[in-house]
């Protein structure tokens, strides 16, 4: 029983090699049925629309169960200006956390 939060930088429109290596080393069944919250950090405000899907597929390939919301943070999220998008990031984190908590409760029953 358990849960996992996976956070990784996105480099050159793909997950870091460490991300892929970590799951390759684990093997197929280690994360079987485990709820997972996925978070991405990018140096660009423009994310390829399919990067979250690529990473979700990697998690499901090891039989993990990623929550629907993927937290994606970019440069605008880290700025403290009035025009920053910090509210969007906070809402996304909150939504993903609720989904993870719900998945954890479902798994315990």
């Amino acid at each position: 029983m358990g849960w996992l939060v996976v956070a990784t930088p996105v480099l050159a429109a793909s997950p870091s090699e460490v991300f892929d290596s970590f799951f390759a080393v684990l093997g197929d069944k280690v994360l079987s049925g485990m709820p997972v919250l996925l978070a991405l950090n990018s140096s660009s405000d423009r994310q390829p629309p399919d990067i979250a899907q690529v990473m979700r597929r990697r998690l499901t390939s090891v039989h993990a169960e990623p929550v629907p919301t993927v937290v994606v943070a970019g440069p605008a999220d880290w700025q403290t200006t009035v025009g920053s998008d910090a509210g969007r990031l906070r809402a996304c984190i909150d939504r993903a956390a609720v989904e993870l908590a719900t998945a954890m409760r479902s798994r315990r029953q």
Side-chain angles (χ1 to χ4, degrees):
M1 285 251 185
W3 50 273
L4 184 64
V5 174
V6 177
T8 184
V10 175
L11 308 168
S14 64
S16 71
E17 289 181 28
V18 173
F19 178 85
D20 278 333
S21 297
F22 176 77
F23 292 103
V25 169
L26 282 181
D28 268 359
K29 302 290 182 185
V30 174
L31 299 178
S32 187
M34 183 176 290
V36 179
L37 188 155
L38 178 59
L40 312 175
N41 183 26
S42 175
S43 60
S44 170
D45 282 328
R46 295 180 49 176
Q47 271 311 320
D50 61 345
I51 190 67
Q53 286 304 98
V54 167
M55 298 177 82
R56 287 176 64 78
R57 277 194 299 273
R58 184 66 181 115
L59 290 169
T60 57
S61 75
V62 294
H63 307 283
E65 295 182 10
V67 298
T69 300
V70 177
V71 178
V72 180
D77 297 308
W78 307 121
Q79 296 175 2
T80 58
T81 64
V82 174
S84 76
D85 210 8
R88 182 211 59 84
L89 179 60
R90 170 54 52 204
C92 185
I93 291 168
D94 290 347
R95 186 171 52 254
V98 167
E99 291 169 358
L100 181 61
T102 301
M104 290 166 52
R105 277 193 302 275
S106 296
R107 190 162 187 241
R108 270 190 257 158
Q109 295 175 358

